[in-house]
């Protein structure tokens, strides 16, 4: 299916990823229509239309789908059944969405295509945490099965006495326990896949997290990441092919002494790919639009020897003047409201 420029792309979700998708789409001649429950999402400020409705509002989704030519989404914590009704008009499809939003399903799926994951156990209550400690040892991390991001819904257990408090802290009716991983570095593979199965991959950045939130992505990634990228890319491609994925897909990895280990999947454009806006010939956002609209994929070649992307979190965005004064620096502010602690308000990319 080819969706020609001049058509309307529906984007489910109104955050910064939807905003940057809409901006990339506009450069290719598309109109965008945002579907989100918020009254003034930051993506709507750069889009042609906005429907304010709950993500599971079947009637509103039907009207939205009728008004657009293709539908995509900017995050995965969405109800699958109502969106599955959009059928082939939604790209990526419902299978990609379902496989990434439940940690148990995700880990079983990754293992089924030959990817390694951390040792883990399902937990449905505090008694299961004790069983997981016996099976996996300490320390371990508890994670909610669903709706976790940026470190939310996670708690560490370093002593058996912490089990109950950790279970209460994740605030979920079901979760998983994961063994702690002795990793050397964190990195991600960001790829785009077309309906025909063509794949394009960007260079993988070294990612640094603080309090569960991505702080910085840097290229070149250096060792040991660069020694493991080939294997990681092969795993990511198998994941994308098995899902029949259309669009950008991101796989986060730990670089370990015995090779790459999959942390999680994001069936969408990703924070660790923001560097591609200035740092690659085709950004992840433009490439996603190309893929979901059936256009040829663009070059992913890096445009600078060194690239670094730093997130602006909370009131850090208030110091917007400083990066504007630096050569080789590009400022992106997301147009959000209150700069709450832990909230991503923008990012800065440095090219050398």
């Amino acid at each position: 299916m080819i969706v020609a420029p001049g058509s309307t792309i529906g984007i489910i979700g109104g955050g910064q990823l939807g905003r940057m998708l809409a901006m990339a789409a506009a450069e290719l001649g598309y109109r965008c229509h945002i579907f989100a429950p918020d009254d003034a999402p930051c993506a709507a400020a750069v889009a042609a239309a906005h429907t304010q409705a709950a993500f599971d509002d079947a009637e509103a989704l039907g009207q939205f789908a009728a008004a657009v030519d293709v539908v995509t989404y900017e995050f995965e914590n969405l109800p699958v059944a109502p969106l599955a009704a959009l059928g082939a008009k939604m790209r990526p499809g419902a299978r990609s969405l379902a496989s990434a939003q439940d940690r148990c399903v995700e880990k079983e799926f990754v293992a089924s295509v030959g990817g390694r994951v951390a040792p883990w156990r399902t937990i449905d209550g505090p008694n299961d945490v004790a069983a997981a400690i016996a099976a996996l040892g300490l320390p371990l991390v508890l994670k909610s099965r669903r709706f976790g991001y940026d470190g939310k819904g996670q708690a560490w257990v370093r002593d058996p006495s912490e089990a109950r408090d950790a279970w209460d802290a994740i605030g979920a009716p079901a979760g998983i326990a994961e063994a702690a991983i002795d990793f050397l570095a964190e990195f991600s593979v960001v790829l785009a896949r077309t309906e025909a199965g063509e794949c394009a991959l960007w260079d993988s950045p070294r990612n640094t997290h603080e309090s569960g939130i991505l702080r910085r992505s840097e290229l070149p990634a250096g060792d040991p990441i660069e020694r493991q990228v080939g294997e990681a890319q092969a795993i990511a491609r198998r994941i994308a092919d098995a899902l029949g994925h259309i669009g950008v897909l991101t796989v986060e990895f730990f670089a370990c002494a015995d090779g790459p280990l999959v942390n999680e999947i994001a069936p969408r454009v990703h924070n660790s790919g923001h560097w591609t806006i200035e740092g690659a010939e085709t950004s992840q956002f433009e490439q996603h639009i190309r893929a979901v609209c059936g256009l040829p994929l663009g070059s992913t070649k890096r445009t600078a020897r060194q690239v670094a992307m730093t997130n602006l979190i909370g009131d850090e965005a208030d110091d917007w003047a400083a990066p504007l004064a630096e050569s080789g620096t590009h400022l992106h502010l997301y147009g959000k409201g209150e700069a709450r602690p832990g909230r991503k308000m923008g990012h800065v990319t440095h090219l050398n």
Side-chain angles (χ1 to χ4, degrees), residues 134-190:
L136 303 174
L138 290 172
L140 56 76
V141 60
L142 306 188
K143 299 179 180 180
S144 60
R145 270 187 78 156
R146 300 168 64 87
F147 306 119
Y149 65 97
D150 286 347
K152 296 178 176 65
Q154 299 186 22
W156 281 93
V157 180
R158 294 180 172 83
D159 184 272
S161 64
E162 298 172 351
R164 180 68 203 215
D165 287 345
W167 168 255
D168 292 341
I170 68 171
I176 67 167
E178 267 185 22
I181 299 300
D182 185 19
F183 61 89
L184 305 172
E186 296 177 84
F187 68 102
S188 51
V189 172
V190 184

Side-chain angles (χ1 to χ4, degrees), residues 8-11 22 31-36 41 43-52 64 67-68:
T8 300
I9 300 170
I11 301 174
R31 292 164 51 88
C32 285
H33 185 156
I34 304 299
F35 188 101
V46 297
H50 167 219
T51 292
Q52 182 182 2
F64 169 72
V68 302

Side-chain angles (χ1 to χ4, degrees), residues 26-233:
E27 291 188 346
L28 294 176
Y30 293 95
R31 292 164 51 88
C32 285
H33 185 156
I34 304 299
F35 188 101
D38 317 276
D39 60 354
C42 67
V46 297
H50 167 219
T51 292
Q52 182 182 2
F55 292 129
D56 61 354
D57 186 331
E59 182 178 354
L61 280 170
Q63 294 172 356
F64 169 72
V68 302
D69 298 288
V70 67
V71 176
T72 192
Y73 47 86
E74 63 138 18
F75 74 119
E76 62 271 27
N77 289 332
L78 296 166
V80 173
L83 298 185
L86 301 177
K89 189 171 269 194
M90 187 171 75
R91 298 181 164 194
R95 188 178 181 197
S96 293
L97 191 63
S99 297
Q101 63 180 213
D102 183 304
R103 294 187 191 277
C104 293
V105 173
E106 178 184 64
K107 288 182 179 298
E108 290 169 349
F109 169 69
V110 169
S112 76
V113 298
R116 293 193 312 124
V117 297
W120 65 283
R121 293 290 187 277
T122 300
I123 53 170
D124 296 308
N127 292 337
D128 292 334
V129 179
I133 292 171
L136 303 174
L138 290 172
L140 56 76
V141 60
L142 306 188
K143 299 179 180 180
S144 60
R145 270 187 78 156
R146 300 168 64 87
F147 306 119
Y149 65 97
D150 286 347
K152 296 178 176 65
Q154 299 186 22
W156 281 93
V157 180
R158 294 180 172 83
D159 184 272
S161 64
E162 298 172 351
R164 180 68 203 215
D165 287 345
W167 168 255
D168 292 341
I170 68 171
I176 67 167
E178 267 185 22
I181 299 300
D182 185 19
F183 61 89
L184 305 172
E186 296 177 84
F187 68 102
S188 51
V189 172
V190 184
L191 64 79
R193 184 181 183 276
T194 67
E195 185 176 20
E198 176 190 358
C199 273
L201 298 101
W202 288 267
D203 293 341
S204 287
R206 177 183 294 263
N207 298 325
T208 304
H209 290 78
E210 294 178 5
S211 301
I213 301 174
L214 181 67
R215 167 52 94 187
R216 190 173 174 87
S217 295
E218 300 173 88
L219 297 110
D223 285 335
I225 293 169
E226 292 184 353
R227 288 186 277 109
Q228 299 187 13
V229 160
E231 183 180 352
Q233 288 182 340

